[in-house]
Amino acid sequence: TTSTIMFGHVGSAQHWAAHLPQLRDLQARTGGITEFVPLPFVHMESPIYLAGAARRGPTLRECVLLHAVARLVLHPLITNIQASWVKMGPQQAAQLLAAGCNDMGGSIMNESITRAAGASYGQELPPHQMEQVIAAAGRRPRQRTTLYGTPPASQTAASYTAPELQPLSMGSGWRKQQQQQQHAAGV
């Protein structure tokens, strides 16, 4: 399974630091964690931020530090640390490849949670663009399976010929509908 932490909203660096040994201990007991994915809080349209109950998300420095410290604390039990290009954008996420990350995640198709929170990333990052970002960061790109194996050659080849996604609109009508549903649910 994937392990995550969303950070930069209400917790402090001490909270984030306390999370890592707990993950390491869980992995030592179970062996079931394939990767750790720190998820920087995206604030722009987030209800908790708009209500004044959260900060604007982590700084780039905090993102780099959390990913680097995670590599040190979790090694060798959790060997895959993923940078979230969906949350940070491809260029900033690529900077994390020099700070302990060995995974940029997947191409993602029509991710809606981060985009609903106001991020401009998450629609799609096709394999050829992902490879360019990774290579520009001085790393060697490679596709992987969910369990970090090597995919069949036919699957890799098909990923390069997939049609481009049509833009996903997350306009104010969608946000209003989500807010009405949350209000009706008492959230």
Side-chain angles (χ1 to χ4, degrees):
T1 189
T2 298
S3 59
T4 65
I5 182 173
M6 185 173 71
F7 67 103
H9 57 316
V10 295
S12 67
Q14 290 80 11
H15 294 112
W16 312 339
H19 187 74
L20 297 174
Q22 292 177 5
L23 283 176
R24 183 188 60 218
D25 295 346
L26 178 64
Q27 178 69 344
R29 287 191 314 274
T30 68
I33 298 173
T34 54
E35 72 267 12
F36 176 58
V37 188
L39 300 168
F41 177 63
V42 176
H43 72 281
M44 290 77 78
E45 296 288 335
S46 173
I48 192 172
Y49 173 76
L50 295 175
R55 62 182 264 210
R56 294 179 59 123
T59 64
L60 178 58
R61 181 176 186 274
E62 289 172 325
C63 289
V64 170
L65 287 172
L66 180 57
H67 286 78
V69 170
R71 168 61 67 202
L72 296 171
V73 172
L74 301 175
H75 186 79
L77 297 176
I78 301 174
T79 58
N80 299 302
I81 309 294
Q82 187 178 118
S84 177
W85 69 266
V86 172
K87 303 283 186 197
M88 300 180 67
Q91 302 309 319
Q92 285 191 338
Q95 293 179 36
L96 299 176
L97 294 174
C101 290
N102 64 316
D103 187 355
M104 285 281 286
S107 289
I108 309 290
M109 294 186 297
N110 291 329
E111 191 279 346
S112 61
I113 296 169
T114 303
R115 295 194 60 208
S120 58
Y121 311 108
Q123 173 73 10
E124 178 182 31
L125 188 60
H128 68 280
Q129 289 177 2
M130 177 80 77
E131 287 183 350
Q132 289 171 352
V133 169
I134 293 168
R139 290 309 223 16
R140 186 175 53 91
R142 135 180 132 72
Q143 286 194 25
R144 64 167 176 82
T145 65
T146 300
L147 296 177
Y148 288 84
T150 301
S154 60
Q155 182 179 333
T156 300
S159 71
Y160 289 97
T161 59
E164 190 172 319
L165 292 177
Q166 297 302 308
L168 178 66
S169 175
M170 302 294 284
S172 59
W174 184 87
R175 281 196 232 14
K176 185 173 183 170
Q177 178 185 13
Q178 293 300 306
Q179 290 168 345
Q180 289 171 342
Q181 289 174 352
Q182 289 173 349
H183 181 68
V187 177

